Amino acid sequence: MQNQLFINGRFVDAAEGDTIDVLNPHDGSLITKVAAATSTDVDLAVAAAERAFPRWSAMAAADRGRLLLRLADAIDANAESLAQLESLDTGHPIRDSRALDVPRTAACFRYFGGMADKLQGSVIPVETGFLNYVQRAPIGVVGQIVPWNFPLMFTSWKMGPALAAGNTVVLKPSEITPLSTLRIAELMAEVGFPEGVVNIVPGYGHTAGQRLAEHPRVRKIAFTGSTATGRRIVEASQGNLKRVQLELGGKGANIVFDDAKLDAAINGAAWAIFHNQGQACIAGSRLVLHERIADEFLDRFIALADSIRIGNPLDATTEMGPLTSLQHLERVKAYVDVAREQGGHVMAGGAAPSDPSLAKGYYVRPTIVEARTPQDRIAQEEVFGPFVTVLRFDSDEEALQIANSTSYGLGSGLWTRDLSRAHRTAAAMEAGMCWINCYKRVNPGSPFGGVGQSGYGREMGYEAMHDYTEARSVWVNVDGNVPPHFRR
Ligand code: NDP
């Protein structure tokens, strides 16, 4: 298991020798100690990425793509061990790591591997006698900060487009869950990525993360995490006016209309909030139910939530694992208190499971709370756990009003059999993504990102390639005429 920094193609200890304990969320035991990068290490990593940039950016795009494709193959070849590592470190149920995290990571690198030589510039129809073409050029050294909720997948979302477009990377995984990202670095070295193209610096946000965000030689910073930290990243980026891409929090509204197919909606709503223990920025954390079906829906939804198998993430039958850190467990539990203080009705969960074998882990049962009003804190603030807030509505207008009543705008969903209502509502949702009769679908070709306090810029798809390049405009005097202005 790799636990050092990866700088300039080598695994090294942190300059100041510090380490951080990486804990198993199932029982709080120590998995390993990982090197903790500080400013000195970040500076070394940026210098390595800067040295690697001229050669990497000049390499034929197809060759860069080939390396990404080889990485995707290496991920497939090591799928089981990667899935085990991700589950051990994060608490993701192993069935999800096997079926989702690992294949999606390989698919993302494969998509951008294929995309590398498909990013084309354009020719602009300008005045006769001139040719104007626009090239998409890489930006330079990019800094990337990845959170703890989907470390493996988010590493591919961030690195895939950046590398395909010809940038070099310094990436800081969360110190809570750095292991799968370091394993990816090992695989990159094995498949032949040149030294310095990718550098991995696990460490604390306020030191390593802050240095990366303010570093004068970093040309772009891409961040996934909380809105509060996103604001700090923007402030830190100002020194050299680096480009910023932010994928922040969410409070996804999942609307169930009274004509919805209930079986699918109940199952989909459970997936929307309980997958990965609700630790997802796109989680459907507000369940907005039509008054006419609300009681029946809730009876069945509560029964389903109570039946979810909670357990050791490495057990193949586990459907929900622990939260990823003790600190986060405390935060989620505090919201149960907030709900009660504000008159919310806790209909399920709100406590740890009774199974004594889980007592040392960071477990909490699927929690369903009906809020009094859409303005309650539990209906406005991101809990980021297996905690869903129920709200009711009477009309389509009211459903939309509730859905659009937070400052966030990332994921959203709706369930109906009425085609017009579906498209009308989707168009009016203030959100970067909307799922109709499904939830949480992602694909490397489909742009992912938010509006409002959920951030800006897009991951994945063609948009991500654009976000990792600059448009360079070149003018050619085709006829070779002397300009008329000072002609003698
Ligand atoms: P943060 O936003 O604080 O952390 C995310 C990442 O940013 C971590 O790697 C963190 O490092 C780093 N970071 C923290 N401060 C700075 C800084 N000043 N400069 C640069 N990087 C920094 O989220 P938390 O982990 O504290 O979680 C709090 C809440 O954030 C969650 O409950 C959830 O609501 C939201 N969140 C949203 C995510 C998403 O997918 N959009 C992902 C994670 C969290 P360090 O851990 O050392 O602080």
Side-chain angles (χ1 to χ4, degrees), residues 198 305 310 354 461:
V198 163
I310 306 176
S354 53

Side-chain angles (χ1 to χ4, degrees), residues 148-149 172 175 204-205 209-210 223 226 229 248 328 331 382:
W148 44 262
N149 53 335
K172 186 192 97 61
E175 76 286 353
Y204 290 111
Q210 181 74 23
F223 170 77
S226 65
T229 305
L248 307 174
H328 192 56
R331 190 185 141 92
E382 185 176 44

Side-chain angles (χ1 to χ4, degrees), residues 174-215:
S174 165
E175 76 286 353
I176 300 170
T177 57
L179 301 180
S180 56
T181 307
L182 290 170
R183 178 69 185 127
I184 292 291
E186 265 182 332
L187 294 176
M188 289 179 123
E190 276 170 39
V191 302
F193 276 81
E195 60 187 35
V197 168
V198 163
N199 305 272
I200 311 291
V201 286
Y204 290 111
H206 61 274
T207 51
Q210 181 74 23
R211 178 62 184 153
L212 197 53
E214 70 191 12
H215 201 293

Side-chain angles (χ1 to χ4, degrees), residues 6-12 44-57 59 67 141 163 167-170 185-200:
F6 184 66
I7 297 178
N8 203 31
R10 275 172 215 88
F11 284 97
V12 293
L44 288 171
V46 171
E50 208 169 22
R51 282 195 304 277
F53 179 71
R55 195 174 139 219
W56 180 250
S57 55
M59 189 187 267
L67 280 170
V141 177
L163 294 173
N167 303 282
T168 54
V169 166
V170 178
E186 265 182 332
L187 294 176
M188 289 179 123
E190 276 170 39
V191 302
F193 276 81
E195 60 187 35
V197 168
V198 163
N199 305 272
I200 311 291

Side-chain angles (χ1 to χ4, degrees), residues 76-151:
D76 285 344
N78 291 275
E80 180 56 23
S81 59
L82 266 168
Q84 297 268 349
L85 190 63
E86 188 74 338
S87 287
L88 179 73
D89 199 7
T90 63
H92 292 196
I94 187 76
R95 67 172 202 161
D96 291 346
S97 298
R98 283 178 182 145
L100 299 174
D101 299 74
V102 175
R104 282 178 174 178
T105 301
C108 181
F109 280 123
R110 196 163 277 126
Y111 175 86
F112 286 107
M115 177 71 95
D117 60 355
K118 318 248 170 354
L119 182 71
Q120 297 173 354
S122 53
V123 176
I124 312 297
V126 293
E127 299 80 355
T128 307
F130 291 90
L131 167 67
N132 176 228
Y133 60 90
V134 178
Q135 294 174 308
R136 304 294 322 182
I139 299 170
V141 177
V142 300
Q144 305 185 318
I145 300 178
V146 171
W148 44 262
N149 53 335
F150 292 98

